[in-house]
Amino acid sequence: MNLSTKILIGLALGVIAGLELGAEGVGFAKTWIAPFGTIFMNMIKMVIVPLVFSSLVMGVASLGDIKKVGRIGIKTVGYYLGTTAFAIVIGLAIGTIVEPGLGMHMPVDVAKVTAKAAPPISKVIIDIFPTNPLEAMVKANMLQIIVFALFLGVGITAVGEKANALKHAIDGLAEVSYKIVGMIMAVAPIGVFGLITPVVAANGPAVLLPLLKVILAVYFACFLHAVIVYGSMVRFIGKVSPVTFVKAMAPAILMAFSSCSSGGTLPLNMSCVRKLGVSKEVSSFVLPLGATINMDGTAAYQGVCALFVAQIYGVDLTAAQYMTIIVTGTLASIGTAGVPGAGYIMLTMILTSLGLPLEGSALIAGIDRILDMARTTVNITGDATVSLLVDKSEKAHAEKEAPLY
């Protein structure tokens, strides 16, 4: 039995157990079942920093050419921004057609929601450069870790042979991290069961039914983005069958859906894209970056939820406001990267730019965990898609530059 089947069984059993326990069993689920999921996620988080750091350093160092690093970086960020814009457009289209907030009048408990202010873009840019790389690792500040790893990888490449000892040590750390991930994945079905059971118990049918329309709209928008945008990119640019792609990605997709963590899914995502033929040097560069800044699923969610709030308050948005959502959401996906609660911050930024009451986001906060399952799944699928396309492009470039003799 393969890993994806085992995870699927754990997921299914968790849903059944959660429905059986219901609201009355939430306490039992959180006390006796949730710890299995928490321990599993803690083990994953334990290995994320050494894995991202070592794999990214080796990814850059193995490229062997600083120009190549720049070329891959530009392609990666370009793909991520482009697909994010598409995701918002799809979310807006679904929100316009489905009208999830039409005719809904629900009491808003503002006390339960605190709208966090997004940091200024200048502060975001300054903060990605660490003053102390060790402190960044201790705090798991992924953007700072990525920047330090990039500099270290470039430095190793520039120094050459004298840095071989350091290069081998970091390569050893990467291999050990991969092995630890393999050990942790052996208990993934139990972890997934522990993660999903309390969520289903706490968010049973009675809680979800009043907001079922917005939940379905977000899930449908995420599904359409995955099928139309990613499916087309994989098929026509990556030259890979979407069915083959989904089969290879199944373990990571199920893990993302259960855990709601792009970072937690990163080790498994790296393993899955290797099955698709993506080189280690490309996946080690593209995926850690994507786990931090790529928010396609979150972008689709923004489009639906912005219209949901507008419809609740009876506000008809203009064409200019639609464009504001697209531009703000796309730029915010980078600007809020690495900030806790980034998805919610993005939503408050968009509502503020439209002049809509932030209190409307309180309705979303109650079902955010359910929506997060869909958007995280799309986020990591987008990371894998971009890694496939960048790898395909780099291989074509290598063939073109190769000597004829």
Side-chain angles (χ1 to χ4, degrees):
M1 190 182 296
N2 59 31
L3 180 60
S4 58
T5 304
K6 291 178 182 177
I7 293 176
L8 185 59
I9 291 172
L11 182 65
L13 291 175
V15 171
I16 294 169
L19 290 174
E20 284 294 320
L21 288 169
E24 299 81 8
V26 171
F28 175 84
K30 289 184 176 180
T31 303
W32 299 105
I33 299 176
F36 291 102
T38 304
I39 292 169
F40 175 67
M41 285 307 298
N42 285 350
M43 290 193 297
I44 288 288
K45 290 174 183 177
M46 171 185 73
V47 79
I48 286 176
V49 169
L51 177 66
V52 169
F53 171 73
S54 59
S55 62
L56 195 52
V57 170
M58 292 311 300
V60 174
S62 61
L63 292 175
D65 182 1
I66 296 175
K67 289 182 180 179
K68 191 174 182 182
V69 174
R71 187 172 66 244
I72 291 178
I74 291 171
K75 289 177 188 176
T76 301
V77 174
Y79 273 128
Y80 284 150
L81 288 177
T83 55
T84 297
F86 268 110
I88 297 175
V89 170
I90 289 175
L92 288 173
I94 297 303
T96 302
I97 295 169
V98 176
E99 297 184 320
L102 194 65
M104 182 178 291
H105 300 284
M106 296 184 67
V108 176
D109 188 355
V110 182
K112 289 185 178 180
V113 178
T114 303
K116 299 178 183 178
I121 189 66
S122 59
K123 187 177 188 304
V124 172
I125 294 171
I126 292 169
D127 286 349
I128 68 173
F129 295 94
T131 55
N132 186 339
L134 293 179
E135 183 184 8
M137 292 182 185
V138 169
K139 293 183 177 180
N141 187 321
M142 298 312 297
L143 276 178
Q144 291 189 356
I145 292 170
I146 287 171
V147 169
F148 177 61
L150 290 174
F151 273 101
L152 189 58
V154 169
I156 289 173
T157 301
V159 170
E161 286 188 17
K162 290 184 178 180
N164 278 348
L166 177 59
K167 184 177 179 180
H168 289 317
I170 296 175
D171 191 26
L173 176 61
E175 292 301 323
V176 169
S177 299
Y178 297 141
K179 182 61 69 175
I180 292 173
V181 167
M183 297 175 185
I184 296 170
M185 284 302 115
V187 296
I190 298 172
V192 166
F193 176 82
L195 288 168
I196 205 70
T197 301
V199 174
V200 175
N203 297 276
V207 177
L208 299 181
L209 281 177
L211 292 164
L212 185 60
K213 204 172 181 182
V214 71
I215 293 170
L216 292 177
V218 169
Y219 271 68
F220 187 49
C222 287
F223 174 77
L224 279 185
H225 183 70
V227 171
I228 295 173
V229 179
Y230 297 154
S232 299
M233 293 169 76
V234 166
R235 179 69 185 87
F236 298 111
I237 303 176
K239 306 298 181 184
V240 173
S241 164
V243 175
T244 302
F245 178 83
V246 171
K247 283 182 179 178
M249 287 299 301
I253 288 171
L254 291 170
M255 177 67 181
F257 186 78
S258 307
S259 68
C260 296
S261 171
S262 294
T265 310
L266 178 61
L268 195 52
N269 207 5
M270 295 179 79
S271 173
C272 290
V273 298
R274 302 272 172 80
K275 296 175 186 175
L276 293 166
V278 177
S279 67
K280 186 176 178 179
E281 61 181 22
V282 170
S283 64
S284 297
F285 182 95
V286 175
L287 292 180
L289 193 61
T292 305
I293 70 171
N294 183 39
M295 298 186 182
D296 286 7
T298 306
Y301 148 91
Q302 306 297 333
V304 173
C305 292
L307 284 184
F308 171 69
V309 173
Q311 289 159 7
I312 286 176
Y313 287 96
V315 177
D316 292 324
L317 301 180
T318 64
Q321 287 175 311
Y322 275 92
M323 186 57 65
T324 298
I325 295 174
I326 296 170
V327 174
T328 305
T330 303
L331 296 178
S333 68
I334 299 294
T336 58
V339 179
Y344 189 72
I345 290 175
M346 284 175 67
L347 181 58
T348 58
M349 285 176 69
I350 289 174
L351 295 181
T352 301
S353 68
L354 297 175
L356 293 172
L358 293 181
E359 290 83 354
S361 62
L363 298 174
I364 306 298
I367 54 169
D368 193 63
R369 180 62 169 78
I370 301 297
L371 301 178
D372 202 9
M373 295 163 77
R375 63 185 190 236
T376 303
T377 303
V378 172
N379 288 347
I380 67 100
T381 306
D383 298 344
T385 300
V386 171
S387 71
L388 177 67
L389 302 190
V390 171
D391 183 70
K392 189 79 176 179
S393 172
E394 283 303 302
K395 286 174 179 173
H397 181 82
E399 288 178 6
K400 184 179 179 181
E401 295 292 317
L404 298 176
Y405 51 90

